[in-house]
Amino acid sequence: MRSKAEVTAEYERWKHALQGNLAYDDLYRELVAIEGKETEIFERFYKDLEFGTAGIRDTVGVGTTRLNEFTAFKIARGLAEYIIDKYPASLGVPQDNTCGSVSCMDNKNIYTKSLQDVSSFDNNTYVNSLQAGSLPKSKVLKVALGRDSRNKSDVFEGIIRDVMLSFGIEVYIFDEIVPIPMISYMVCNQSFVAGIMVTASHNRKEYNGIKIFNEKGVQLNGEQAANIAGYIEKVDPLDFIDFKKHAAINDIKSISIDKREIDGYFNYLKGDIKKWETIAKENAIKSGFDISKALGNIKILYSPLNGTGLKYVLRVFDSLQFKNFEVVTSQEKPSGDFTTCPYPNPEMEEAFNEAYKVANDGFDAIILTDPDCDRMGIRVLHEGRFIEITGNEMGILFLDFLSRFSGKGDGVAIKSIVTTRLIDEIAKARDIEVRNTLTGFKYMGEEISNLEKEPDKRYVFAFEESIGYLPVASLKDKDGISSSALAVFLLAYYKWQGMDLAKRLKEIYEEFGALYTLGDSFYTTGSKGLSDRDMIMQHFRDNGIDKLLGNSVIRTIDYRDKKITHGKGITSDADILKNGINIGFTKLPKSDVLEYEGANGDILIIRPSGSEAKIKFYAMAKRDDIHVAKEACGAILKEAIAASKAVVGYK
């Protein structure tokens, strides 16, 4: 974090560099507009962009804390240098810092001429050589690059492309906006060293960001992000001006990702659909189950929320041979303005408001995907009205179905520590192993990668409570495309048996217990917001919580300091096993998470957001009735948020 003097100096440096440069006149005018406004200047320059739970993201605008052409360059160049250093033997270019005939910045070689020696970058040759599921193999380093529909995504994508090419890294790029699952799929199934996606996922329209996938198709974990952050930190963002002037990349071409490569994803998915059909036929109560007939009995309203999902979700509907759907027309076309839904997050009720305007009782469900199509939210018609199926509940329904596939006790399901623990009960009954990870699909992706090294184990399902699901094994990140397909399949399957998803969920609660999980957040703001966030976490860590809804807290788990407290006595890590807590505590990386368990079994989990100035709370309660359990969760969250406000003096 910069001091006030350092902030002022950095502001003046940016203003001087951009003054008179017509290419960045909009950013310069933005700097001039905040002149003399100390608070605003501080907010924009007090630090550099950082990796959060899911990549680097922030509002679009001028400043080191914002995403703009200069900070995008800084990220791209840092990543390129990391790739070059990590895979030097794979790239046939010089590894010294001499400039030769190419442009240099800070004595760092831009590998333009060397790149031309390695490859002709003849698009036609490459495209003609493509086979479905098999990109050309080469010793040259390759990255897959895509973007969503957000404002300036095309600009940031272009900068990343040019920087990667200038370092001699081949860039395979989609010709249009693309869902993030396609990036993960490409990297998982081809010889890429990284996947890069320009997106801010479900954040408000003012945001944009960059997600990075490693060579396994998994989002960067904490250690990888820290390593790359070290390279990014050394880059001066204002070097972008010289880069644009001097980098000789005009005659170097990126490589278009062939349509047949995208087809490979859907070919994999068709295999999964066949498996779903097998499960359905083996477990259907009503005889003669026919998926084609069952799908003909349902009708769906779908919205991509002006994002990337439309083309891909409709294609997956086609893979199911499902035709009875409509699209919310006002949210059909890609747009970064999100005029009908400024906060395009299908986890939130407000995201469904536009769909509700055209929905009626002729529809069985409303399905939304977020702008980069890695999340899927759903509302189902139940007793004449549309009701929410939460992320936890949809995950329960998915696992309940997928875990019925014939196995020999070799199945593994993966979830985060803040996700409903009703999963453990279902898995136990189905002879399925549950593996817990820290919050974020990057950790689940790593666990899926580890699972591939265990030939005696079988992947079943992975999900997190924030409407992120992965029902297929062909990639390693949450996938709104295949999740939409499975949701439609289940809607048809259960309607064939005379019920809807809500009724099936009720049956599950009756069988395995009325355990409910609910989340909420306490938002703070700006640079002070971040310090307030940290102050709240420190308060809870130092002072603990004595009671949950009047019941004494009998156990506290600190995932950062790796300790368990029973009352006032601290025990060793090993006690977590003898006390019957099956969350893999000792195997997890350290993380700033606190968990409190009440005498009646109620649980409260607290963690800071990895990308925003907010504290996230998760409550779990088991009662005789699921509605009572839900109310108890709400009351636990209310207590926790009130305590947080008191710490920082918020009303």
Side-chain angles (χ1 to χ4, degrees):
M1 185 170 172
R2 297 185 178 97
S3 67
K4 285 187 177 181
E6 290 171 332
V7 166
T8 300
E10 187 69 2
Y11 166 74
E12 293 294 340
R13 193 172 78 93
W14 274 61
K15 193 170 66 168
H16 177 75
L18 272 60
Q19 187 174 9
N21 196 324
L22 294 178
Y24 315 111
D25 186 59
D26 58 332
L27 296 179
Y28 176 71
R29 284 187 280 109
E30 201 173 329
L31 286 171
V32 172
I34 63 173
E35 191 167 9
K37 300 177 181 178
E38 291 187 5
T39 301
E40 181 68 17
I41 292 172
F42 190 83
E43 293 289 346
R44 290 174 180 263
F45 288 96
Y46 75 95
K47 66 170 188 172
D48 293 333
L49 286 175
E50 299 173 344
F51 280 97
T53 306
I56 299 174
R57 68 176 72 156
D58 215 300
T59 52
V60 176
V62 73
T64 59
T65 67
R66 305 291 195 261
L67 194 66
N68 50 65
E69 288 89 332
F70 298 89
T71 54
F73 165 79
K74 179 182 175 76
I75 295 165
R77 185 177 167 194
L79 176 59
E81 293 189 6
Y82 168 82
I83 291 172
I84 292 294
D85 285 351
K86 185 175 180 182
Y87 304 96
S90 302
L91 186 62
V93 298
Q95 296 300 307
D96 61 66
N97 290 326
T98 59
C99 291
S101 62
V102 298
S103 172
C104 290
M105 300 176 297
D106 299 332
N107 204 37
K108 184 72 177 184
N109 191 2
I110 301 179
Y111 297 100
T112 304
K113 183 176 183 300
S114 300
L115 173 62
Q116 294 169 328
D117 294 337
V118 172
S119 170
S120 67
F121 278 83
D122 183 340
N123 260 349
N124 292 328
T125 301
Y126 275 97
V127 171
N128 292 336
S129 70
L130 290 172
Q131 301 293 325
S134 180
L135 286 171
K137 307 297 181 184
S138 107
K139 292 183 178 181
V140 180
L141 299 176
K142 303 185 297 188
V143 299
L145 176 62
R147 62 179 170 88
D148 69 3
S149 60
R150 288 181 178 268
N151 294 329
K152 299 197 79 169
S153 282
D154 57 339
V155 174
F156 301 144
E157 181 189 57
I159 292 169
I160 296 168
R161 177 197 65 218
D162 290 351
V163 170
M164 292 293 157
L165 290 174
S166 73
F167 274 79
I169 300 168
E170 286 187 355
V171 179
Y172 286 76
I173 194 167
F174 293 87
D175 292 331
E176 56 187 2
I177 60 172
V178 64
I180 206 165
M182 296 308 304
I183 296 289
S184 179
Y185 168 77
M186 292 298 297
V187 181
C188 283
N189 294 278
Q190 304 294 343
S191 55
F192 291 99
V193 296
I196 309 167
M197 179 76 175
V198 182
T199 178
S201 188
H202 57 285
N203 280 61
R204 295 184 182 276
K205 65 179 182 178
E206 297 84 9
Y207 281 73
N208 213 324
I210 298 171
K211 286 184 180 180
I212 303 170
F213 295 82
N214 64 22
E215 70 278 5
K216 300 175 184 176
V218 180
Q219 286 192 53
L220 302 179
N221 62 30
E223 182 179 355
Q224 292 167 328
N227 288 338
I228 293 173
Y231 282 82
I232 295 173
E233 184 181 349
K234 297 174 183 178
V235 179
D236 185 349
L238 297 181
D239 279 343
F240 179 60
I241 296 172
D242 290 333
F243 175 82
K244 289 293 290 183
K245 285 181 180 177
H246 303 298
I249 58 174
N250 294 331
D251 56 346
I252 304 174
K253 300 176 182 177
S254 54
I255 301 165
S256 295
I257 291 177
D258 190 81
K259 175 182 176 296
R260 289 170 292 178
E261 292 297 329
I262 299 173
D263 291 344
Y265 168 88
F266 292 95
N267 291 334
Y268 272 114
L269 187 56
K270 286 178 181 178
D272 287 289
I273 291 172
K274 290 293 183 184
K275 185 179 78 173
W276 302 345
E277 289 185 38
T278 300
I279 298 172
K281 288 176 180 178
E282 290 180 350
N283 293 277
I285 299 171
K286 184 180 177 182
S287 62
F289 175 77
D290 184 304
I291 185 58
S292 298
K293 293 181 180 178
L295 287 167
N297 293 330
I298 64 168
K299 186 177 182 181
I300 304 298
L301 181 63
Y302 168 68
S303 172
L305 293 178
N306 299 117
T308 61
L310 182 67
K311 176 180 177 180
Y312 292 83
V313 171
L314 296 195
R315 183 168 174 182
V316 87
F317 286 174
D318 186 66
S319 296
L320 286 166
Q321 298 184 359
F322 174 58
K323 308 293 184 184
N324 200 19
F325 62 86
E326 293 183 14
V327 178
V328 180
T329 55
S330 59
Q331 298 176 332
E332 181 176 6
K333 294 181 179 179
S335 170
D337 294 327
F338 306 119
T339 55
T340 62
C341 186
Y343 198 167
N345 181 0
E347 192 178 11
M348 302 177 66
E349 183 65 17
E350 68 183 68
F352 287 82
N353 288 341
E354 193 72 7
Y356 288 146
K357 293 178 182 179
V358 294
N360 53 56
D361 58 9
F363 292 96
D364 293 274
I366 304 168
I367 291 176
L368 308 184
T369 53
D370 68 339
D372 62 355
C373 201
D374 63 351
R375 298 174 182 229
M376 185 276 301
I378 188 169
R379 299 291 184 268
V380 300
L381 189 70
H382 178 67
E383 297 180 349
R385 65 186 183 94
F386 289 100
I387 66 168
E388 178 185 15
I389 304 292
T390 68
N392 276 310
E393 290 175 327
M394 202 67 216
I396 288 168
L397 287 163
F398 281 161
L399 183 69
D400 169 62
F401 177 78
L402 294 172
S403 63
R404 295 176 182 272
F405 187 78
S406 303
K408 301 179 180 178
D410 59 347
V412 176
I414 301 166
K415 67 177 183 66
S416 73
I417 57 174
V418 301
T419 300
T420 177
R421 294 176 187 175
L422 190 62
I423 290 296
D424 297 85
E425 302 299 324
I426 299 171
K428 184 178 179 181
R430 306 278 167 74
D431 202 17
I432 296 286
E433 178 188 355
V434 176
R435 296 184 183 180
N436 287 275
T437 73
L438 297 178
T439 303
F441 229 92
K442 57 190 175 185
Y443 297 108
M444 295 182 210
E446 280 294 328
E447 191 60 46
I448 297 169
S449 292
N450 294 335
L451 193 61
E452 292 175 345
K453 302 172 186 176
E454 302 177 55
D456 59 333
K457 295 295 184 179
R458 171 176 56 87
Y459 175 80
V460 176
F461 182 54
F463 86 105
E464 58 185 0
E465 87 295 335
S466 54
I467 61 172
Y469 321 98
L470 182 59
V472 299
S474 53
L475 60 162
K476 296 183 181 69
D477 199 53
K478 52 186 179 287
D479 180 5
I481 307 169
S482 61
S483 298
S484 298
L486 183 54
V488 167
F489 190 99
L490 291 191
L491 286 160
Y493 171 64
Y494 287 120
K495 190 169 185 178
W496 179 272
Q497 299 182 78
M499 68 177 78
D500 55 31
L501 296 189
K503 186 176 179 181
R504 175 55 194 156
L505 194 60
K506 183 178 179 212
E507 291 180 346
I508 294 171
Y509 285 135
E510 290 173 349
E511 181 178 357
F512 296 104
L515 173 61
Y516 199 82
T517 302
L518 188 66
D520 202 353
S521 299
F522 172 51
Y523 286 82
T524 56
T525 57
S527 57
K528 185 177 183 301
L530 292 172
S531 63
D532 284 348
R533 177 196 67 186
D534 297 340
M535 187 189 303
I536 292 168
M537 286 301 300
Q538 194 60 48
H539 169 83
F540 284 122
R541 180 163 278 110
D542 292 342
N543 300 283
I545 294 176
D546 295 328
K547 295 181 182 291
L548 294 177
L549 301 184
N551 295 291
S552 297
V553 169
I554 61 170
R555 183 183 293 113
T556 301
I557 303 175
D558 189 332
Y559 290 81
R560 189 194 74 180
D561 295 345
K562 289 289 185 174
K563 67 183 184 184
I564 309 161
T565 306
H566 297 279
K568 296 182 179 180
I570 298 175
T571 66
S572 66
D573 293 357
D575 282 357
I576 198 137
L577 300 176
K578 61 174 126 170
N579 282 296
I581 306 174
N582 186 28
I583 56 174
F585 174 83
T586 56
K587 298 179 181 179
L588 295 175
K590 292 183 178 182
S591 182
D592 193 7
V593 180
L594 296 167
E595 178 178 323
Y596 303 92
E597 182 181 349
N600 65 341
D602 290 348
I603 289 174
L604 172 67
I605 301 175
I606 307 173
R607 73 174 185 89
S609 169
S611 56
E612 299 174 83
K614 67 178 179 181
I615 300 286
K616 304 191 79 169
F617 302 92
Y618 309 85
M620 303 181 191
K622 190 173 184 179
R623 300 291 190 270
D624 293 333
D625 180 84
I626 197 65
H627 301 290
V628 178
K630 184 176 182 180
E631 289 175 359
C633 287
I636 292 170
L637 294 173
K638 187 176 180 181
E639 283 185 353
I641 291 174
S644 300
K645 289 180 177 179
V647 172
V648 291
Y650 282 43
K651 294 182 179 179

